[in-house]
């Protein structure tokens, strides 16, 4: 596997060195069937020499492969179906990562079909099933892995790797057996990776952080350049930091930072070490933490699926908890979940954080917006569909049944409908008794023919050029009828304001449909060139002489969102005393005053 990685990186000299070392190990470990074991190595020799254009060496190793195939009576000159090759493939898959457990499991099952008593293949199958279980937590795999580990330990009591894996598989209530297994491993194993796994058992099965830290230090003493033990030690110091007394926190934070730094020094490409260091330094510098995440996002296409998911997870957490950007964090969690494969841990955390944030956003999305005059808007998330009642209807996309009384019956009378929903006290009395019941009126009938004619004429603008771009998306007829009703009710004194509010209501619906209309003019609801633009949806605070020098990001953090109709000066101008002027024309500001 090392030879393949070196060859993949173009380092052919190191690749050949790895193959030579592999050949020597095979001669030592398999003296009786060396020729069957070395086939894959010879194939890799031929492949590397081919890339080096050393065709003489290519022919040499192909010839050796052909000789072995003839001895094994293979019908093919350069390939043969033997269990040794399947087993080597299985071990190589496990060496790359436990995420390859299912593929490695199949390799060892195929090898055992041809040599069912082979102890090496049985061990490979046990470790492969265990690897598969660590990525999906399937109970059937857990039971099979536990049974196979027990078999290995029975026949090979000094297989400490099998013992530590068995300790991971046992139930937490079997503490006596777990303690016995892991203590044996710690006292006798000289393998840093096995000790690293023993530390995990102490943490997650026996809840002993101090013993786990001691074991990791033991592993570091055996191999100071093994980056994963330094990383795990940093994680344990962080776990202690969460429960530490105030006077202990600084020392533990320094210890965790030092461990992650050492992990990164021994393995510079380590994504997880960079992520943890970013969080540690981020306690003092958000800019540093953000820069690390942005750099990792640039490297994303070259990273494993698990690393990609981890980056999206940490970046989403940063945006949510340290910058308060909920929607951006939501997109990061979703992006992480769109990555197929990966690891069960990261995927589970992404799902949990996404679900929590969606619940938070759903709660936040229940809003009542009022423009201070005539426009009231109540919004709830889609999960409320069909679950509401009252003056705003039942949210079932069928407006014809919205005039439903508190009793559940339908009515054709708006007044009866409104009276039905007057507030009732807990004791059953009518809290709105001091407010007279509404009655059905026709203001156009009461105000006379001339008023109705004028209302029709002025509301006709809704069906004209300023609004026609929206007619397909939002039919104007219901708004026209409401406009006529309102203008008749307002009377001559307030007819201009009523018209503008009716037109603004239609423009608001158009904005909801994705169409922003520039409908105001000097002759229609009073917008002169260079004046403040009304009705402009914006989540950004109006720029004024007082705040125009403040960075936009700071302004946005103090603004109400989402976008609502408001007043905005044209681009390049700022507001001062209800007029739009050039920033250079602003009065001088001294100590926060004009």
């Amino acid at each position: 596997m090392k030879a393949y990685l070196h060859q993949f990186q173009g380092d052919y000299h190191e690749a050949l060195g790895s193959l030579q070392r592999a050949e020597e190990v095979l001669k030592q470990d398999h003296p009786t069937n060396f020729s069957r074991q070395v086939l894959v190595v010879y194939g890799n020799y031929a492949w590397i020499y081919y890339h080096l254009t050393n065709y003489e060496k290519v022919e040499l190793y192909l010839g050796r492969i052909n000789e072995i195939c003839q001895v094994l009576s293979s019908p093919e000159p350069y390939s043969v179906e033997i269990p040794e090759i399947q087993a080597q493939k299985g071990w190589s898959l496990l060496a790359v990562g436990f995420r390859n457990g299912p593929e490695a499991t199949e390799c060892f099952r195929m090898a055992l079909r041809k040599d069912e008593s082979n102890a090496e293949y049985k061990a490979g199958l046990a470790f492969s099933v265990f690897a598969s279980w660590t990525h999906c937590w399937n109970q059937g795999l857990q039971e099979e892995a536990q049974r196979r580990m027990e078999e290995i330990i029975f026949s090979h009591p000094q297989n400490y790797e099998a013992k530590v894996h068995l300790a991971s598989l046992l139930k937490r209530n079997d503490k006596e057996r777990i303690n016995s297994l892991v203590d044996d491993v710690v006292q006798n194993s000289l393998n840093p990776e096995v000790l690293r796994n023993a530390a995990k058992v102490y943490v997650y099965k026996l809840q002993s952080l101090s013993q786990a830290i001691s074991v990791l230090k033991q592993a570091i003493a055996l191999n100071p350049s093994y980056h994963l033990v330094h990383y795990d030690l940093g994680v344990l110091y962080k776990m202690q930091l969460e429960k530490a007394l105030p006077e202990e926190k600084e020392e533990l934070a320094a210890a965790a930072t030092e461990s992650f730094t050492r992990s990164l020094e021994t393995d510079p490409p380590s994504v997880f070490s960079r992520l943890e260091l970013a969080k540690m330094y981020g306690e003092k510098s958000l800019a540093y933490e953000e820069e690390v995440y942005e750099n990792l996002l640039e490297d994303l296409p070259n990273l494993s699926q698990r690393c990609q998911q981890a980056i999206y997870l940490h970046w989403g957490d940063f945006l949510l908890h340290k910058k308060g950007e909920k929607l951006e964090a939501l997109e990061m969690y979703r992006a992480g979940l769109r990555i197929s494969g990966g690891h069960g841990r990261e995927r589970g955390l992404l799902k949990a954080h996404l679900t929590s944030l969606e619940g938070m956003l759903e709660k936040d999305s229940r809003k009542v917006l009022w423009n201070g005059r005539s426009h009231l808007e109540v919004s709830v998330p889609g999960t409320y569909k069909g679950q509401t009642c009252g003056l705003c209807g039942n949210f079932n996309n069928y407006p014809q049944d919205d005039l439903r009384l508190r009793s559940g019956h339908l009515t054709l009378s708006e007044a009866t409908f409104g009276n039905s929903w007057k507030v009732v006290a807990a004791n059953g009395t009518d809290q709105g008794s001091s407010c007279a019941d509404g009655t059905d009126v026709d203001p156009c009938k009461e105000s006379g023919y001339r008023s109705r004619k004028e209302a029709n004429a002025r509301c006709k603008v809704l069906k004209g050029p300023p609004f026609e771009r929206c007619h397909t998306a939002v039919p104007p007829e219901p708004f026209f009828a409401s406009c006529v009703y309102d203008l008749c009710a307002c009377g001559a004194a307030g007819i201009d304001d009523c018209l503008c509010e009716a037109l603004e209501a239609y423009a608001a619906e158009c904005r909801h449909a994705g169409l922003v209309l520039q409908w105001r003019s000097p002759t229609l609801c009073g917008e002169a060139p260079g004046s403040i633009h009304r009705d402009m949806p914006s989540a950004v605070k109006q720029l004024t002489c007082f705040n125009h020098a403040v960075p936009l990001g700071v302004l946005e953090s103090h603004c109400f969102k989402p976008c609502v109709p408001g007043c905005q000066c044209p681009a390049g101008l700022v507001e001062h005393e209800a007029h739009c002027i050039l920033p250079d024309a602003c009065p001088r500001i001294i100590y926060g005053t004009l």
Side-chain angles (χ1 to χ4, degrees):
M1 180 52 65
K2 283 186 177 180
Y4 168 77
L5 294 174
H6 286 308
Q7 180 269 326
F8 184 76
Q9 295 168 350
D11 193 345
Y12 297 109
H13 177 74
E14 285 294 329
L16 290 172
S18 294
L19 290 178
Q20 289 166 3
R21 289 189 290 273
E23 191 174 1
E24 291 167 3
V25 170
L26 289 174
K27 284 180 181 177
Q28 182 180 345
D29 293 349
H30 302 278
T32 59
N33 67 340
F34 171 73
S35 61
R36 296 169 67 96
Q37 296 284 346
V38 82
L39 269 171
V40 174
V41 174
Y42 285 166
N44 285 327
Y45 269 127
W47 180 248
I48 291 172
Y49 280 122
Y50 172 80
H51 282 280
L52 292 172
T53 66
N54 189 338
Y55 300 120
E56 184 178 345
K57 287 285 190 179
V58 174
E59 291 294 333
L60 171 66
Y61 285 103
L62 287 178
R64 291 181 181 180
I65 292 172
N66 181 251
E67 289 174 8
I68 296 172
C69 288
Q70 288 180 5
V71 171
L72 296 174
S73 303
S74 172
E76 301 294 332
Y78 302 109
S79 64
V80 62
E81 289 289 334
I82 55 175
E84 287 85 352
I85 292 177
Q86 290 295 335
Q88 287 183 21
K89 181 180 177 182
W91 289 119
S92 296
L93 287 165
L94 289 178
V96 172
F98 270 18
R99 65 181 177 275
N100 297 316
E103 293 84 356
T105 298
E106 184 57 29
C107 289
F108 286 112
R109 291 197 197 279
M110 290 176 66
L112 282 166
R113 290 190 194 110
K114 298 191 176 184
D115 188 358
E116 58 186 26
S117 62
N118 189 293
E120 179 193 342
Y121 304 164
K122 288 182 178 180
L125 180 58
F127 294 138
S128 299
V129 174
F130 175 78
S132 302
W133 170 72
T134 62
H135 276 63
C136 69
W137 316 112
N138 177 274
Q139 185 176 352
L141 288 174
Q142 181 180 9
E143 293 171 354
E144 182 183 358
Q146 183 173 334
R147 174 174 55 82
R148 292 188 180 279
M149 292 296 176
E150 294 278 17
E151 292 172 357
I152 293 173
I153 295 169
F154 180 78
S155 56
H156 297 85
Q158 293 183 332
N159 191 322
Y160 299 114
E161 185 176 3
K163 284 187 175 182
V164 77
H165 289 336
L166 178 59
S168 299
L169 289 159
L170 293 172
K171 304 293 185 184
R172 283 186 180 177
N173 56 10
D174 198 355
K175 285 194 173 182
E176 186 175 346
R177 179 84 192 283
I178 295 172
N179 260 314
S180 174
L181 288 166
V182 78
D183 286 348
D184 186 19
V185 169
V186 171
Q187 290 171 19
N188 296 290
S189 177
L190 299 177
N191 186 329
E193 176 62 16
V194 172
L195 291 175
R196 176 174 171 252
N197 288 323
K200 292 180 180 179
V201 174
Y202 276 122
V203 174
Y204 300 110
K205 294 286 185 177
L206 302 174
Q207 286 78 51
S208 178
L209 277 176
S210 58
Q211 282 183 286
I213 289 173
S214 176
V215 172
L216 287 178
K217 289 180 177 179
Q218 180 180 333
I220 289 172
L222 290 169
N223 186 358
S225 62
Y226 186 28
H227 71 284
L228 288 178
V229 286
H230 291 287
Y231 174 83
D232 286 0
L233 185 59
V235 171
L236 296 192
Y237 282 135
K238 278 189 65 178
M239 293 173 71
Q240 284 189 325
L241 183 62
E242 292 173 359
K243 301 178 181 179
L245 297 172
E247 60 269 20
E248 300 172 332
K249 288 184 178 292
E250 185 175 350
E251 182 180 351
L252 286 170
T257 302
E258 182 182 353
S259 295
F260 292 131
T261 302
R262 182 66 179 138
S263 174
L264 195 59
E265 289 172 350
T266 52
D267 183 36
S270 173
V271 169
F272 286 90
S273 298
R274 291 166 70 183
L275 289 171
E276 291 298 339
L277 268 179
K279 287 196 289 186
M280 297 304 298
Y281 287 122
E283 294 300 320
K284 296 181 179 179
S285 172
L286 286 183
Y288 175 87
E289 185 174 0
E290 187 167 11
E291 183 180 355
V292 171
Y293 295 139
E294 289 173 348
N295 290 337
L296 285 170
L297 285 170
E298 291 180 6
D299 297 338
L300 208 63
N302 304 318
L303 301 175
S304 70
Q305 294 166 326
R306 182 179 186 183
C307 286
Q308 291 180 32
Q309 289 175 339
I311 291 168
Y312 280 124
L313 174 66
H314 283 72
W315 181 227
D317 288 347
F318 174 81
L319 292 171
L320 175 61
H321 299 297
K322 295 189 176 180
K323 300 198 73 175
E325 297 176 357
K326 296 177 183 178
L327 294 178
E328 291 81 355
L330 188 77
E331 183 51 40
M332 291 304 105
Y333 295 145
R334 286 173 175 169
L337 286 171
R338 283 195 292 268
I339 298 170
S340 59
H343 191 278
R345 181 180 181 276
E346 277 68 34
R347 182 164 289 276
L349 287 171
L350 283 165
K351 286 182 179 178
H353 291 202
L354 177 64
T355 301
S356 174
L357 181 53
E358 285 177 335
M360 192 186 308
L361 288 170
E362 180 177 305
K363 184 178 180 181
D364 289 349
S365 65
R366 299 193 298 263
K367 288 186 172 66
V368 177
L369 304 178
W370 181 47
N371 70 354
R373 303 185 309 277
S374 62
H375 184 79
L376 176 69
E377 180 179 321
V378 178
S379 61
V380 295
T383 52
Y384 281 68
K385 188 172 182 179
Q387 306 297 315
T388 65
C389 59
L391 295 177
C392 292
N394 54 21
F395 192 13
N396 67 352
N397 289 343
Y398 187 68
Q400 287 83 347
D401 68 351
D402 277 345
L403 296 184
R404 194 175 292 276
L405 306 178
R406 191 187 294 272
S407 64
H409 296 103
L410 285 173
T411 181
L412 297 177
S413 166
E414 287 90 347
T416 303
F417 171 68
N419 295 334
S420 168
W421 289 102
K422 289 170 71 173
V423 177
V424 176
N427 60 9
T429 62
D430 184 0
Q431 286 187 333
S433 57
S434 61
C435 183
D437 282 348
T439 57
D440 289 315
V441 296
D442 184 348
C444 290
K445 185 176 181 179
E446 292 186 1
S447 60
Y449 169 77
R450 182 171 294 180
S451 294
R452 183 180 184 89
K453 182 179 179 181
E454 183 178 2
N456 272 278
R458 300 196 65 174
C459 291
K460 196 173 181 181
V461 68
L462 273 172
K463 299 181 179 181
F467 298 94
E468 63 183 356
R469 191 161 62 93
C470 184
H471 288 169
T472 304
V474 182
E477 286 75 18
F479 293 87
F480 176 81
S482 296
C483 177
V484 171
Y485 183 98
D486 289 347
L487 263 61
C488 288
C490 287
I495 194 169
D496 289 335
D497 288 339
C498 284
L499 174 65
C500 291
E501 289 176 355
L503 299 182
E504 184 179 309
Y506 182 73
E509 286 301 311
C510 293
R511 281 195 297 276
H512 284 310
L515 295 168
V516 177
L517 305 176
Q518 304 295 334
W519 60 275
R520 293 182 185 269
S521 70
T523 58
L524 184 61
C525 299
E527 184 173 278
S531 68
I532 293 178
H533 293 335
R534 299 178 182 273
D535 237 13
M536 296 298 291
S538 175
V540 181
K541 200 170 184 177
Q542 167 68 52
L543 292 179
T544 67
C545 282
F546 190 84
N547 68 19
H548 72 89
V550 178
L552 185 60
V554 176
L555 278 178
E556 288 178 336
S557 67
H558 295 283
C559 287
F560 179 80
K561 299 178 181 180
C563 301
V564 294
C567 298
Q568 297 289 317
C569 283
L573 302 180
V574 298
E575 186 270 334
H576 178 58
E577 295 183 350
H579 292 84
C580 295
I581 63 175
L582 290 169
D584 293 343
C586 285
R588 185 180 176 187
I589 299 175
I590 302 176
Y591 300 118
T593 61
L594 291 174

